[in-house]
Amino acid sequence: MTTAVSRLTPALRFPPELLLKAQGPGLGLKAAIFDVDGVLTDGRIYISDQGEDFKAFSTLDGHGLKLLDQGGILPIIITGRDSPAVRRRVADLGLKHAVYGAKDKLAVAQPLLDQLGLAWPEVAAMGDDWPDLPLMLRAGFACAPAQAHAEVRAIAHHITAAAGGHGAARECCDLLLSAAGRYEALLNGHLSTLDGGGRG
């Protein structure tokens, strides 16, 4: 037998002016592009004697990306590096759109957005270094982790309190969902789950 649980009022709050920026134009943001190294990880790369990459990912970020998708904002991964670790992480999260080893991120992002029928004002972008600038400058909303390079922080609409690999992407996801008015419903939807599904 289960006990009924009352609804939660979200504890998370963002300034109204920031929520307005993160809403995007018209019907709102429809997708969000995330870098990997420095955003979904802390930017450090561990290489074994066999040449394998090892990366640490945050379960907070993983669950945030899942929630973003559930909330109707499509998460997209575009990363300059390629490794089995990143591919495994993307697969584990069930993300449908990812581009690996992108030397020119704009060159791969534009045809992908065209394929999905999305315009740049409908897209958010989160990055931490110069290769992310072309995406962030075109996006309707740009987010950067706390430790991002100065030039990236200078053009971001929001700099997260959390660092890359330590919940920065989750903060961005929470912000986008809050701005879209979907955060509270997703939060309360978690109060009655019985499937035992794990976090991201």
Side-chain angles (χ1 to χ4, degrees), residues 10-12 170 173-174 177-178 180-188:
L12 190 62
R170 176 57 175 275
C173 291
D174 288 344
L177 289 168
S178 296
R182 299 165 198 156
Y183 180 91
E184 185 171 354
L186 287 165
L187 171 65
N188 282 286

Side-chain angles (χ1 to χ4, degrees), residues 5-110:
V5 179
S6 60
R7 290 182 63 83
L8 285 177
T9 299
L12 190 62
R13 293 281 188 273
F14 293 101
E17 62 274 15
L18 178 60
L19 289 171
L20 189 60
K21 286 181 185 176
Q23 281 178 355
L27 297 176
L29 297 176
K30 298 178 181 176
I33 299 172
F34 294 87
D35 178 33
V36 173
D37 293 313
V39 173
L40 297 182
T41 76
D42 65 6
R44 291 183 290 180
I45 299 170
Y46 301 89
I47 302 177
S48 72
D49 292 340
Q50 290 75 36
E52 297 177 280
D53 281 5
F54 296 93
K55 301 175 189 289
F57 297 93
S58 167
T59 58
L60 282 172
D61 292 340
H63 196 59
L65 292 169
K66 288 181 178 181
L67 290 172
L68 200 66
D69 201 19
Q70 291 171 24
I73 300 175
L74 182 68
I76 298 170
I77 302 297
I78 298 182
T79 176
R81 293 176 60 86
D82 191 359
S83 75
V86 174
R87 287 180 179 262
R88 169 68 185 273
R89 182 61 173 154
V90 169
D92 286 349
L93 294 174
L95 303 183
K96 302 175 190 72
H97 299 284
V99 181
Y100 309 95
K103 302 306 178 191
D104 181 338
K105 294 189 176 184
L106 182 59
V108 299
Q110 188 61 65

